Amino acid sequence: MKTIKLTAFLFVILFFMNSSPTNAAGAVKILYTVTFPEAQAHYADIEMNISGLDQNTLDLKMPVWTPGSYLVREFAKNVESFSAAANNKTIPSPKINKNTWHINTAGLSSVTIKYRVYCFEISVRTSFVDASHGFLSTSGLFIYPDKMLNTPSTIKIIPYKGWTTVSTSLDAVNGDQFIRHSPNFDILFDSPIEVGTQDVFGFDAAGVKYEVCMVGGGNYDKEQLKKDMAKIAEQETAVFGENPNKHYVFIVHNRQRNGGGLEHLSSTTLGASRDNYSNASGYRNFLSLVAHEHFHLWNVKRLRPIVLGPFDYDNENYTTDLWIAEGFTAYYQNLILRHAQIMDPETYLSAITGEINIIENQPGAKIQPLAEASFDAWIKSYRPNENSSNTGISYYDKGAAVAMLLDLEIINDTKGKNSLDDVMKYMYDTYYKQKKRGYTDEEFKQGLEKFAGKNLDEFYKNYVYGLTPLDYNKYLAYAGYKATDDAANSNDPSLGIATTESNGKKFVTVVQRGGAGWVDGINVNDELVAIDGTPITDVATMLNGKKPGDQISVSVLRDGLAVALPVTLLRNNRFKYKVDSLPGVTPGQMVVRKKWLGLVD
Ligand SMILES: [Zn+2]
């Protein structure tokens, strides 16, 4: 009965949809013209012409977030001077909520919308314009007609004086780099545009034409970058068995200090420190970032959790699978460099060691399960505060560690025949290519089980949904390695706080859960003044000669008032893991090690 009712209801809806004007979207044409009359004051001016309309009303919306960065950013806050006109006359365009403008279009076939966007937020996910260049993060720049996300659009860019070049993965129209075409809004919002005087170079790899667009200068070695980035592209393509792009663009923002990246379907935006390319670890970190964001063109942009596309641009899009989308990508960012023989095995193992220490020294790892960290990304990891390390865990760090355990499990179970690579390829083939949809939590687990050859209920219960500490040594032993804690026998005392210096004064920034400061009431923002009456210098040095259980007096200034706190020192419980080879590695362990680390004889 319910089903029949629903079918009848659906029929009515479909009938109205078919006869409704929104279905005329095929005839609707959208042209955006972007100008920069006041680039020096950080404005992009947008004119949007919509023609082919046949409907009584039109709602125009600005997305509230940008895919890949799980935070509601309220891009409409940067919009001003919004106006609408038809037949050369202004028409009313009232706002009906924070990001929607409503227009009466009865009898009108076309309207022209104008608005200005203030672009002064420096990040890979927000627009920035000044006299030297414009970075257009499209999801925060272009409004879209509600219920017409499938409509194509043309974007015409009129550059500011002196700007010569446009870099984006959107196709040029008739070879004109200043006119670009987008097949639909999901692609437009996934294709940032850089316009300015950037240094552009290219290379071919994995059958794809790669374009690298360097903004802001830097001491990079172009020839070396071409070689290394090509190796990364080839290595990652080999994991998935195909590269779905014909053309891919790296937009790199070089600044005095910069980092981070944002993935897109056929491009990425990376932040880099302009003088760091000549430094070995700085260069390696840049290549890790390249490997991370480029790996995303499969993992999350195409092989994706089911809720991450098509997107709801009005609201949070919740998923418990960011530990796969981001954590697995974080795992691969270094593994790919290792397999491409760019990173040596020792450096790779020390990166693993660093990851283990980050997780194990984070009190929040005992509070927040991995799946929950993913689901709450919108309100927790993207809105950190002074207590974040006590209450949460990064789905990047722990997700990468879990990926490592799974990779070792699969390699060991199949005696070196399969690895996590085979799961990624299988999932990509099955869900992106064949079923043309995202995966559910259960489906990804089944993909892992297929190659691990065993049920992973317990693994998921402990490590994904639960708080069981990761048993690194069980899995590292498969490859003949062991993680040991160098600090296990130390009896150093600690206050369990982190501090920062400002104008010669020392302020508390973090109070570690369960530490001496936590137990005895040191607060974040307290200014440390003295310990046992001696003016504060270096806290660790001042605790020399003391032991856990000793009582000290910590003098602080709290909101301008002097407070003396009796504090009982506790043992410094920070772990200092290192990963070493086990003695007497067996041939079986060597098979796993070689496959895992891509060792060549
Ligand atoms: Zn990522």
Side-chain angles (χ1 to χ4, degrees):
M1 192 64 178
K2 259 187 167 173
T3 318
I4 294 167
K5 252 192 181 165
L6 188 66
T7 312
F9 179 62
L10 266 176
F11 174 75
V12 172
I13 289 182
L14 286 170
F15 175 78
F16 278 106
M17 276 178 72
N18 277 327
S19 62
S20 87
T22 54
N23 203 47
V28 168
K29 282 197 162 40
I30 298 175
L31 169 68
Y32 294 99
T33 305
V34 187
T35 55
F36 305 92
E38 291 189 299
Q40 84 289 346
H42 321 297
Y43 278 87
D45 287 44
I46 315 289
E47 182 176 312
M48 177 192 193
N49 188 271
I50 316 177
S51 57
L53 288 170
D54 178 19
Q55 58 197 79
N56 291 333
T57 62
L58 180 67
D59 282 348
L60 293 154
K61 299 179 86 71
M62 179 66 92
V64 303
W65 71 292
T66 192
S69 186
Y70 306 98
L71 176 68
V72 169
R73 291 178 191 275
E74 310 291 21
F75 293 119
K77 72 185 176 187
N78 296 319
V79 174
E80 61 185 59
S81 302
F82 191 100
S83 70
N87 304 320
N88 294 320
K89 274 193 216 132
T90 302
I91 54 174
S93 53
K95 272 188 100 166
I96 54 170
N97 64 32
K98 64 181 182 181
N99 64 326
T100 311
W101 291 261
H102 180 78
I103 299 174
N104 187 336
T105 49
L108 298 175
S109 63
S110 70
V111 291
T112 298
I113 314 294
K114 289 184 184 178
Y115 59 98
R116 315 191 75 197
V117 183
Y118 178 63
C119 306
F120 196 56
E121 191 175 345
I122 296 171
S123 85
V124 293
R125 54 189 88 79
T126 48
S127 296
F128 181 88
V129 173
D130 69 9
S132 68
H133 79 119
F135 173 64
L136 310 180
S137 179
T138 45
S139 55
L141 201 77
F142 295 116
I143 52 170
Y144 67 95
D146 195 20
K147 300 188 175 58
M148 290 194 207
L149 284 170
N150 288 326
T151 311
S153 57
T154 302
I155 301 94
K156 188 173 175 186
I157 292 166
I158 314 282
Y160 186 64
K161 62 185 175 200
W163 295 358
T164 55
T165 309
V166 174
S167 303
T168 176
S169 57
L170 295 171
D171 286 340
V173 176
N174 299 326
D176 184 341
Q177 63 160 338
F178 294 102
I179 304 177
R180 302 285 176 155
H181 173 76
S182 176
N184 60 53
F185 279 94
D186 285 324
I187 291 179
L188 178 61
F189 293 151
D190 213 5
S191 307
I193 302 168
E194 176 68 38
V195 50
T197 57
Q198 59 267 33
D199 178 20
V200 178
F201 58 92
F203 61 90
D204 290 348
V208 180
K209 290 236 164 292
Y210 283 89
E211 182 181 331
V212 182
C213 142
M214 286 288 192
V215 184
N219 62 358
Y220 49 88
D221 175 339
K222 246 183 247 191
E223 296 311 313
Q224 189 65 41
L225 271 178
K226 284 185 200 174
K227 262 188 245 162
D228 289 335
M229 290 170 87
K231 279 188 201 166
I232 291 167
E234 299 277 5
Q235 196 70 43
E236 295 189 343
T237 303
V239 172
F240 292 92
E242 68 159 28
N243 193 316
N245 285 306
K246 286 193 166 57
H247 177 218
Y248 185 96
V249 182
F250 289 96
I251 298 172
V252 186
H253 289 156
N254 294 293
R255 302 183 62 83
Q256 193 172 14
R257 280 174 65 106
N258 205 7
L262 187 63
E263 69 276 9
H264 299 286
L265 207 57
S266 309
S267 62
T268 180
T269 309
L270 310 178
S273 299
R274 65 168 71 90
D275 295 327
N276 251 4
Y277 293 93
S278 57
N279 155 311
S281 72
Y283 184 59
R284 202 169 49 234
N285 288 342
F286 177 73
L287 292 181
S288 281
L289 180 62
V290 166
H292 181 106
E293 303 304 338
H294 187 263
F295 194 82
H296 270 315
L297 81 84
W298 294 274
N299 191 31
V300 89
K301 295 313 317 182
R302 292 178 173 85
L303 169 61
R304 60 179 172 80
I306 198 148
V307 306
L308 293 185
F311 297 111
D312 175 352
Y313 293 103
D314 261 355
N315 297 289
E316 291 85 350
N317 293 221
Y318 296 102
T319 170
T320 48
D321 291 329
L322 292 180
W323 63 278
I324 301 168
E326 288 299 348
F328 279 39
T329 304
Y331 173 61
Y332 271 101
Q333 71 182 45
N334 287 332
L335 190 69
I336 288 291
L337 298 191
R338 176 56 226 130
H339 286 179
Q341 314 293 321
I342 294 173
M343 184 184 274
D344 60 60
E346 291 69 33
T347 309
Y348 180 71
L349 290 174
S350 85
I352 298 278
T353 304
E355 198 108 76
I356 294 174
N357 281 314
I358 288 172
I359 299 164
E360 296 309 309
N361 284 317
Q362 182 125 341
K366 297 187 179 69
I367 303 290
Q368 187 186 47
L370 197 46
E372 196 180 300
S374 169
F375 192 85
D376 277 343
W378 301 85
I379 55 164
K380 291 199 174 179
S381 64
Y382 273 89
R383 293 183 193 271
N385 67 11
E386 67 287 343
N387 201 38
S388 292
S389 61
N390 287 324
T391 195
I393 184 70
S394 156
Y395 48 77
Y396 287 83
D397 296 327
K398 191 171 173 186
V402 166
M404 175 180 82
L405 305 193
L406 288 164
D407 198 10
L408 286 165
E409 178 75 43
I410 295 166
I411 298 171
N412 187 59
D413 286 350
T414 60
K415 298 190 166 47
K417 184 170 161 279
N418 292 124
S419 70
L420 192 58
D421 290 9
D422 297 280
V423 179
M424 302 311 283
K425 181 177 188 314
Y426 166 79
M427 293 300 291
Y428 175 77
D429 286 346
T430 306
Y431 292 93
Y432 172 68
K433 289 176 72 180
Q434 290 163 31
K435 296 187 192 288
K436 302 187 193 315
R437 64 167 174 84
Y439 55 81
T440 64
D441 296 15
E442 187 55 31
E443 285 164 347
F444 201 93
K445 177 163 161 278
Q446 284 164 3
L448 287 163
E449 286 172 338
K450 183 178 164 69
F451 289 91
K454 61 172 64 162
N455 177 292
L456 291 172
D457 283 356
E458 201 64 13
F459 186 95
Y460 264 64
K461 188 170 125 257
N462 289 335
Y463 298 150
V464 178
Y465 301 115
L467 295 165
T468 309
L470 300 179
D471 188 355
Y472 304 102
N473 281 334
K474 171 182 167 189
Y475 297 87
L476 285 170
Y478 295 153
Y481 288 110
K482 183 177 173 35
T484 41
D485 175 19
D486 267 358
N489 297 320
S490 104
N491 200 32
D492 293 339
S494 164
L495 278 179
I497 57 172
T499 59
T500 185
E501 295 251 349
S502 173
N503 293 330
K505 296 174 176 174
K506 209 180 273 289
F507 294 90
V508 177
T509 52
V510 176
V511 178
Q512 187 200 344
R513 182 185 289 269
W518 173 286
V519 172
D520 288 321
I522 296 177
N523 287 186
V524 165
N525 297 333
D526 281 354
E527 180 193 338
L528 292 181
V529 177
I531 291 179
D532 289 337
T534 306
I536 206 85
T537 50
D538 176 63
V539 175
T541 311
M542 292 181 82
L543 297 183
N544 268 347
K546 301 210 178 287
K547 56 184 190 309
D550 287 353
Q551 196 172 82
I552 59 171
S553 175
V554 179
S555 303
V556 304
L557 267 179
R558 182 176 295 167
D559 187 32
L561 302 176
V563 180
L565 297 160
V567 176
T568 304
L569 293 171
L570 296 176
R571 178 181 173 272
N572 187 342
N573 60 359
R574 285 186 75 77
F575 297 100
K576 250 196 207 161
Y577 280 103
K578 63 177 174 42
V579 175
D580 293 312
S581 186
L582 287 165
V585 176
T586 66
Q589 287 170 321
M590 196 47 87
V591 167
V592 176
R593 182 182 291 190
K594 282 187 173 174
K595 175 79 171 177
W596 179 39
L597 298 181
L599 302 178
V600 283
D601 293 320

